[in-house]
Amino acid sequence: MRWLRVACLAPVLGAGIQAALFSQQPLQPPSHFQKLAHTYSIVAWDSATGDLGVAVQSKFPNVGGIVPWARAGVGAIATQSLTNIAYGERGLELLAEGATADDALRIIMQTDTMLQDRQVGIVDARGTAASFTGARTFDWAGGRVGGSGTAGAVSGGKGQSIVGRGYAAQANIMVSDRTVSNMAETFERTPGPLADRLVAALHAGQAGGGDKRGMQSAALLVVRRGGGYFGANDRFIDIRVYDAVDPLAELDRLMTLHKLHFFPREPTDLIPITPEVVAQLEPILLREPTGQVAKWLRAPQRSATPAFLEALRDFMYWENYDVRVRMDGRIDRVVLNDILAKHPR
């Protein structure tokens, strides 16, 4: 089938030029070596929700500022190695105009004067995925894309463009190909939301050896229509670890924080504000805000009265639980536990 092909660069490069590029094995890094984002990433589409996302880690500061690109209902792109932002900006434009992931990749490749230094992964909103690894990227470098159903992944090495389904994983300057194969296998077998699957794939990539030079930064970008703050935009998750000794551990910490403060509550987490719950929260409302004369609650209520609910609402906004505020006599148990942990009696 068309999207299972492994297409070399013949449509883009003449046979003579292609052979010369494949024979190039520089003994020393080029002058632009330090500008390369020595990176591994995965772009993916969730067929159930329509979510699109990118997860990336690199021995490069602020990889989240250059590699991941995504637009809800359009696609997700990772542009790395010697990053060319045209793959992100123009790539999303082409996808929005109706191009498939492989069509968009091929169009931009045709005008890229430093094509063989690039590495790119693209997935569109229909699930078509494509990945390209330039011939001048450094070992180990290559990619994988999802196959048909349970057929497994399609792999490609330097100088190859591959097309598949659902996701594209790619890496350069890795210890071995285990980074990419681990990402692909883990993403395929991990259940749950797209963001959790992407983060699991990053951890698996690091377990496969990761970047030869170590770790420095990471990022997770997931877009969903109306998935941003109070539905005001499509930026469902946008987490960037600029510089850290263990960027994946920091990404995990920030993801937990993001879920608490930005994810809507789950219906199963809602519990009634009983007198017992009031007894837990009331002492906090009577003494907070610290350092201010006026407190959230002026006098004990002992039950979920309108005064208590208003005080709890104001306190929750103050503490940045905005998306979990409610006035129906119930509270999110996740928020309740977090409040009690941060404000011990």
Side-chain angles (χ1 to χ4, degrees), residues 25 32 61 73 79 113 130 233-234 240 307 310:
Q25 297 293 333
H32 64 260
T79 171
T113 59
N233 59 40
D234 296 337
R240 302 180 185 185
E310 290 173 7

Side-chain angles (χ1 to χ4, degrees), residues 14-25 135-136:
I17 297 175
Q18 183 180 352
L21 289 171
F22 271 86
S23 67
Q24 291 181 17
Q25 297 293 333
R136 286 198 299 267

Side-chain angles (χ1 to χ4, degrees), residues 60-345:
F60 194 87
N62 193 27
V63 71
I66 54 176
V67 169
W69 299 75
R71 189 185 303 172
V74 175
I77 300 171
T79 171
Q80 56 200 52
S81 189
L82 186 60
T83 297
N84 180 353
I85 64 170
Y87 286 96
E89 294 178 338
R90 180 61 179 145
L92 289 177
E93 290 175 1
L94 289 167
L95 294 179
E97 292 166 2
T100 63
D102 51 321
D103 289 338
L105 179 59
R106 186 166 54 252
I107 290 168
I108 303 175
M109 287 167 66
Q110 290 174 348
T111 58
D112 189 348
T113 59
M114 298 185 68
L115 176 64
Q116 298 308 317
D117 293 297
R118 316 295 190 195
Q119 190 169 55
V120 186
I122 302 180
V123 64
D124 62 40
R126 295 177 293 275
T128 303
S131 182
F132 167 73
T133 299
R136 286 198 299 267
T137 53
F138 285 82
D139 289 334
W140 185 90
R144 287 198 179 196
V145 292
S148 174
T150 58
V154 178
S155 61
K158 293 197 288 186
Q160 290 185 317
S161 177
I162 53 177
V163 181
R165 190 76 184 163
Y167 68 89
Q170 43 283 315
N172 61 83
I173 314 186
M174 296 293 113
V175 173
S176 73
D177 64 349
R178 287 306 307 169
T179 291
V180 165
S181 59
N182 278 10
M183 279 196 293
E185 293 164 7
T186 298
F187 182 80
E188 288 182 357
R189 68 170 181 260
T190 301
L194 179 63
D196 293 345
R197 299 174 68 195
L198 289 172
V199 172
L202 281 192
H203 279 281
Q206 183 59 40
D211 193 311
K212 280 185 175 181
R213 301 181 309 152
M215 301 182 289
Q216 186 166 1
S217 68
L220 174 66
L221 174 62
V222 177
V223 292
R224 172 187 294 181
R225 290 195 186 280
Y229 182 70
F230 282 112
N233 59 40
D234 296 337
R235 200 162 290 266
F236 184 49
I237 303 170
D238 186 359
I239 300 173
R240 302 180 185 185
V241 179
Y242 195 108
D243 179 43
V245 174
D246 189 342
L248 289 188
E250 180 64 2
L251 183 64
D252 289 341
R253 186 187 72 82
L254 294 175
M255 183 63 177
T256 299
L257 195 63
H258 183 83
K259 288 180 177 179
L260 173 66
H261 291 286
F262 289 91
F263 276 26
R265 60 256 170 193
E266 295 291 338
T268 54
D269 285 331
L270 295 177
I271 60 173
I273 303 178
T274 63
E276 290 75 20
V277 173
V278 171
Q280 292 178 295
L281 293 173
E282 198 165 62
I284 300 170
L285 300 179
L286 288 168
R287 69 172 184 260
E288 295 284 342
T290 302
Q292 296 190 30
V293 175
K295 305 302 180 182
W296 299 120
L297 195 59
R298 293 182 178 182
Q301 302 294 302
R302 297 184 177 84
S303 65
T305 64
F308 177 89
L309 293 177
E310 290 173 7
L312 179 60
R313 175 200 62 197
D314 294 344
F315 168 79
M316 288 181 64
Y317 278 128
W318 180 272
E319 296 288 332
N320 300 318
Y321 301 113
D322 302 16
V323 300
R324 298 186 187 241
V325 171
R326 54 192 311 113
M327 293 293 290
D328 63 353
R330 294 184 295 172
I331 189 171
D332 188 319
R333 72 171 76 246
V334 176
V335 170
L336 175 61
N337 291 336
D338 193 64
I339 291 172
L340 296 177
K342 290 176 178 176
H343 300 272
R345 297 177 69 175

